[in-house]
Amino acid sequence: MKEDIYILAIETSCDDTSVAILKNKKVLSNIVSSQKIHKIFGGVVPEIASREHDRLIVPVLNEAIKESKIKLNDIDAIAYTRGPGLLGSLLVGTSFAKSLAFSLNIPLLEINHMQAHILSIYIDDNPEKPKFPFIALTVSGGHTQLVVVNSPFDFTEIGTTLDDAAGEAFDKSGKIMNLDYPAGPKIDKLALKGDINKFNFPKPEVKGLNFSFSGLKTNFKNFINNQPHDFVKNNINDLCASLQSTIVEILIDKLLKARDQYQINEFVICGGVSANSYLRKELKGLMEGESIKTYVPKINYSTDNAAMIGINGYFKFIESKFGELSDYSISKYPMQ
Ligand code: KG4
Ligand code: ZN
């Protein structure tokens, strides 16, 4: 096998159009164009997202090539997000990846978006990485999962959300407070100046390692609807801090439960919500108080990006786990 492997990676599963180029595990470029247009609708509009991917994919690719300083002909394989995600958006990335692989006569690597979030911890040969087996908590706008990871190809889901994802809990509660989509980062910022104990929102009782966030959202909505005019405006920092700490407590409670049940004390926390500063602070506390080791990818690899698709592609390339040009079905999680 060649000494250095160059992988071009494409991510188009939701509302970020991204292309990255990796030399082995090292990122040479990682261009992410976040589609701003959805803001006016308060959430991602699937049809618009796929049209935006179609418009952005070539300029984003050109930028990624330029920044990496390599030539298209140097690329050894194309990695792309095959699923899960919005079907139209995935189809744009899939068609593009397949055409590029066909025209360059190089192999395809089909990547599962959620597994890519987990393996993003290995980007740039990060020395702060867990040993197998570890447990991953993936918290994004579409998913909330606890997964036992035995190897880069062996994932077992042990818990998931029964309704809304953790990111949706942030985004939908933010909408109730008139915050723009996606509200997660805004709540994080506003909460910095708030009191987590000012308001008390009940945590759901969910058996085992599953999650539920829709009850919290409904509670929050009812609470706000019963307040006088200008209440949200006058209490925005405390509301954000109290809500955020409840969501984070729900996540940490399950993480501890998973540790007890599986006797694994190394955790990777990934997906967009892992960018949350209060969650990151609480995870540090666990390292001291509970002798749990937690690993969180760098912020720019936490939210959707193609570099995480590229690192997953690298693991597949060295094991010759290639995809098919003629296979168009969109697989769901889990996908090896
Ligand atoms: O992984 P991601 O970029 O896209 C999906 O695959 O869904 O996750 C996006 C989600 C959104 O719900 C967004 O509000 C949330 O991650 N998010 C945050 C923060 N940054 C992004 N939630 C809380 N705090 C943040 N700092
Ligand atoms: Zn994601």
Side-chain angles (χ1 to χ4, degrees), residues 11 13-16 84 113-114 117 139-143 165-171 181-189 244 270-278 299 302-305 308:
E11 155 63 31
S13 69
C14 190
D15 59 342
D16 295 297
H113 181 88
M114 300 313 293
H117 269 302
V139 272
S140 72
H143 298 267
E168 275 178 300
F170 276 100
D171 297 336
Y181 174 87
K186 289 165 193 95
I187 291 176
D188 189 353
K189 214 167 163 195
Q244 173 176 272
C270 54
V273 178
S274 73
N276 185 265
S277 61
Y278 184 73
I299 294 239
S302 294
T303 45
D304 286 353
N305 68 89
M308 69 183 194

Side-chain angles (χ1 to χ4, degrees), residues 25 120-130 295-298:
K25 292 180 183 171
S120 66
I121 198 70
Y122 296 102
I123 291 175
D124 286 338
D125 226 350
N126 175 14
E128 292 290 309
K129 55 179 177 264
Y295 302 86
V296 190
K298 282 191 191 149

